[in-house]
Amino acid sequence: MTETQITIEEEQAGQRVDAFVAAHLNVSRSRAQKLLEGATLNQARVKPSHVLKLGDVLQLLEQEPDNEETRAQIASENMPMPELIKKLVFVYEDEHLMIINKPRGLLVHLGAGERVATLVDFLRQQNKPLSTVGPPERAGIVHRLDKDTSGLIIVCKTDAAHWKLAEDFAHRRLTKNYIALVCGVPPLRGRIEAPIERHATHRKKFAVVPHGKDAITEYTVTQHWRKFALLDVNLLTGRTHQIRVHLNYLNHPIAGDPLYGGEKRALDSAGSDEVRAALQQLDGQALHAAKLEFTHPITDAPLQFEAPMPADMQNVIEALNAAE
């Protein structure tokens, strides 16, 4: 068994311990309660309802594979892979983690009611070891990318790496930069601090709401045209759909994004047949996780990775340059 120790800091105090573990590891409340069965707080057994205090020391144990994980492994082995899996690129790999350049259109892990091929399924078929911290369908996944967002994602092989990276994500010790092609031209630099929560009536969407979770996005315009702009986006928090929601909140939705209005607005703003044709080739939002910078969770070595913009986004940019 591997033991991981977390010292509770000021911003984490006041939370129920099961809610903290669920948010910290991006797992369900029931999964967090299961993880707490073998945990200790200040060297004593802990109840899920316990309220954390500043300086508390929580110790969690690496979990052994269970029957649920075995069933997930079997399901993955029988899952046919889509053709686009050939576009997946292993950027880096060692005994603790992998850095993968994910193509647009590939789901990272299953959500409620879904059963399609995922990145996790593919990695299992490749006999890659995956951490067991979260639920089986999210094995190895310490953060995620939306299905139709391309780019770099970290996948953990060991529980020790997963625990440490979860801690680093929680304390914003990683740098994640995205490239986004948006409709319209926003101010050349901006910082968006607007809380996000699931949309009240549209369950697949998220929205800026006063009672939502804190969310911070910074951006810089790196190139612009009359009706479009290319942004370098620095994600300081990791809320679901955060960049898409924040840029739509600014009235600059991401081109090709059908959920937040960017697909229709981009086509309406195309201005030329060539730009329109390039936009129509986008299979989802023009958002790419281009850079990752962090400290290796086990060796403490500094790591930095970049992934080139996908061809369909580059085609839109070339069409815009030619049109102007």
Side-chain angles (χ1 to χ4, degrees), residues 118-240:
T118 68
L119 174 61
V120 172
D121 291 322
F122 174 74
L123 294 174
R124 283 199 175 108
Q125 288 187 9
Q126 298 299 305
N127 294 317
K128 299 290 185 181
L130 298 172
S131 66
T132 62
V133 172
E137 65 272 15
R138 300 185 186 184
I141 304 302
V142 69
H143 71 122
R144 63 185 293 276
L145 294 177
D146 293 338
K147 176 184 176 184
D148 292 327
T149 297
S150 59
L152 297 171
I153 184 169
I154 306 170
V155 181
C156 295
K157 289 182 169 184
T158 63
D159 285 16
H162 195 133
W163 290 122
K164 181 58 169 62
L165 280 172
E167 183 81 0
D168 289 345
F169 270 106
H171 290 90
R172 303 176 188 174
R173 295 174 186 142
L174 296 87
T175 299
K176 297 182 290 180
N177 286 86
Y178 292 71
I179 299 170
L181 179 68
V182 302
C183 302
V185 182
L188 296 184
R189 292 180 181 274
R191 178 182 174 96
I192 310 164
E193 296 187 52
I196 291 174
E197 189 55 85
R198 190 175 293 277
H199 196 283
T201 58
H202 194 310
R203 301 307 293 169
K204 290 187 176 181
K205 295 178 70 173
F206 287 76
V208 170
V209 293
H211 60 275
K213 297 177 180 178
D214 291 344
I216 305 172
T217 305
E218 295 179 339
Y219 74 86
T220 302
V221 175
T222 58
Q223 187 176 0
H224 65 84
W225 304 266
R226 286 187 303 112
K227 295 186 177 181
F228 294 91
L230 193 67
L231 311 185
D232 178 83
V233 183
N234 183 15
L235 194 61
L236 298 181
T237 55
R239 308 306 178 196
T240 303

Side-chain angles (χ1 to χ4, degrees), residues 64-79:
E64 296 294 339
D66 55 22
N67 290 336
E68 187 180 359
E69 287 161 350
T70 301
R71 289 193 295 272
Q73 177 72 48
I74 293 170
S76 293
E77 290 171 355
N78 295 325
M79 179 61 65

Side-chain angles (χ1 to χ4, degrees), residues 1-4 60-64 159-161 163:
M1 284 283 188
T2 300
E3 188 177 85
T4 298
L60 296 163
L61 294 177
E62 178 180 333
Q63 301 296 300
E64 296 294 339
D159 285 16
W163 290 122

